[in-house]
Amino acid sequence: MEGGQRKRVNNDKQAKPDKRARSDAKPTKSDAKPTAAAKSPKSPKSVKAKPAKPASTGAAIPALPTTQPAKDSFLISAGTYERLLYGIEGRFVGSQLTLNPQFIIPAHTGCIKAVSVGGRYLASGSTDESIRLYDLKKRVELGSLHEHTGTITSLHFHGHTHLLSASTDGAICIYRTKDWEPLKVLRGHKGAIHSIAIHPTGKLALSVAEDRTIIIWNLLTGKRASRTKTPQLGEIVAWSPSGTTYVIGYATEIQLHKVGQSEAIATIFSSQRILSILVVACKGKEYVLAGCQDKRVYIYSAEGTELGSVLCHENRIKGLSSVDMTFPDGSIHTIIVSVSSDGRIKAWKLDDMIESVSVSAADKDKNEDAADREEVEPLANYNADVRLTCVAASNNIYQ
């Protein structure tokens, strides 16, 4: 093990983990759009701190079971510059998808930079160097984690059993959700970490940092598997759903890599600043989605071919996430959720987005003018009226 720290909490009193943790801070339910001036919750009791345990076997994370599609509803969790944490429920009313606020929490004292959901747990990370934890099933706040000494830049759950966090302090922490004990502190970067991603099997993780390197971590041993220099400053990493490839996002480029190959299999060049990346699967094919500064989501094939773009917002796109949803007719489709600095949270049907760019490509092949064609309409649209920074969509099956 390369490092372990004692978990620090910001409450004077300690409480036993999870089942006995209580909080007066229940997310506010609302049938109408609440105002941004949400009532601040009382400080909750936090989980009991325990020292990290050194173990030669590392922080082994079990393989992730197949995620079930959302049935009646799904949750959109979004962070903001205004330090508010939004919980928006997506639900079909008849054939119409609706987005309604379930809670708005003044979660942090700084800008929220990352959110992630794992089963019943929701985590948010901020420039205030803390991670706030919530139980979505019980609708209570569990407390906070203070392992890092820098801005929390990336959060990722693996299923509902483990949480990984990264920070500008150059460390990656692995927590066990059973008692929120820090199992490992991974150190290998010489600068702020920008992004992390966990392989679908839970055996590997990726990280890119200010030191212009990408590290592949072996989560079975808790050690670094490889460290490679990147041609530019890597800002985003993401695995494909199949786990056979991963992408590295730079300012205006995306590199596609196969596992085990150091050289990129394809490079995507963009004329726009890339702010968010999502790799998704649709009808047996994988696609790379890039949310950009010019308000559009660009769609690329798994081979790196640009298929087209969809105008999604009125300002830069800050985050993309996806969730599989059972539609009223019983069919299952992937919903893409996008958030923007324009304050809008939008839900899109992935099939519609891909069909739109396919039609556009066909028009170009026929030398037809597609300038007047209709843009894709979102399934639903919610105006948070704040500057949104990050998003995580998840099903409503709380384990």
Side-chain angles (χ1 to χ4, degrees), residues 172-212:
I172 297 172
C173 294
I174 303 176
Y175 307 91
R176 180 174 60 198
T177 62
K178 180 181 178 180
D179 50 14
W180 299 107
E181 182 174 338
L183 299 177
K184 281 280 187 178
V185 179
L186 307 178
R187 300 186 186 278
H189 287 291
K190 298 179 181 179
I193 298 175
H194 294 159
S195 178
I196 57 174
I198 305 174
H199 191 270
T201 63
K203 296 178 180 180
L204 301 172
L206 298 169
S207 60
V208 289
E210 194 77 25
D211 59 6
R212 297 197 175 194

Side-chain angles (χ1 to χ4, degrees), residues 47-67:
V47 293
K48 188 175 181 180
K50 296 180 181 179
K53 297 178 180 179
S56 59
T57 55
I61 297 179
L64 184 65
T66 302
T67 302

Side-chain angles (χ1 to χ4, degrees), residues 18-198:
D18 287 44
K19 291 186 178 179
R20 295 188 182 181
R22 299 186 307 159
S23 171
D24 296 325
K26 292 186 178 181
T28 304
K29 293 184 178 180
S30 175
D31 295 327
K33 179 184 173 183
T35 62
K39 189 175 180 180
S40 176
K42 297 178 181 179
S43 297
K45 295 181 179 180
S46 185
V47 293
K48 188 175 181 180
K50 296 180 181 179
K53 297 178 180 179
S56 59
T57 55
I61 297 179
L64 184 65
T66 302
T67 302
Q68 300 181 52
K71 294 181 179 179
D72 300 323
S73 63
F74 63 93
L75 178 70
I76 301 171
S77 304
T80 70
Y81 280 107
E82 288 77 8
R83 307 178 297 281
L84 297 173
L85 179 63
Y86 276 72
I88 307 295
E89 182 190 64
R91 180 183 294 273
F92 276 102
V93 177
S95 60
Q96 179 63 46
L97 181 66
T98 61
L99 299 180
N100 295 301
Q102 294 299 296
F103 57 84
I104 300 177
I105 303 172
H108 292 271
T109 58
C111 166
I112 298 176
K113 302 287 287 184
V115 290
S116 184
V117 176
R120 67 192 293 172
Y121 300 116
L122 165 64
S124 62
S126 166
T127 56
D128 64 11
E129 304 181 0
S130 72
I131 300 170
R132 305 295 291 184
L133 302 170
Y134 305 87
D135 187 321
L136 295 171
K137 187 175 183 179
K138 294 182 179 179
R139 294 296 184 93
V140 296
E141 184 174 353
L142 299 176
S144 57
L145 301 173
H146 296 263
E147 285 300 304
H148 292 288
T149 57
T151 294
I152 310 302
T153 55
S154 190
L155 291 171
H156 281 279
F157 277 96
H158 180 73
H160 63 281
T161 60
H162 293 80
L163 170 68
L164 270 67
S165 64
S167 167
T168 55
D169 63 9
I172 297 172
C173 294
I174 303 176
Y175 307 91
R176 180 174 60 198
T177 62
K178 180 181 178 180
D179 50 14
W180 299 107
E181 182 174 338
L183 299 177
K184 281 280 187 178
V185 179
L186 307 178
R187 300 186 186 278
H189 287 291
K190 298 179 181 179
I193 298 175
H194 294 159
S195 178
I196 57 174
I198 305 174

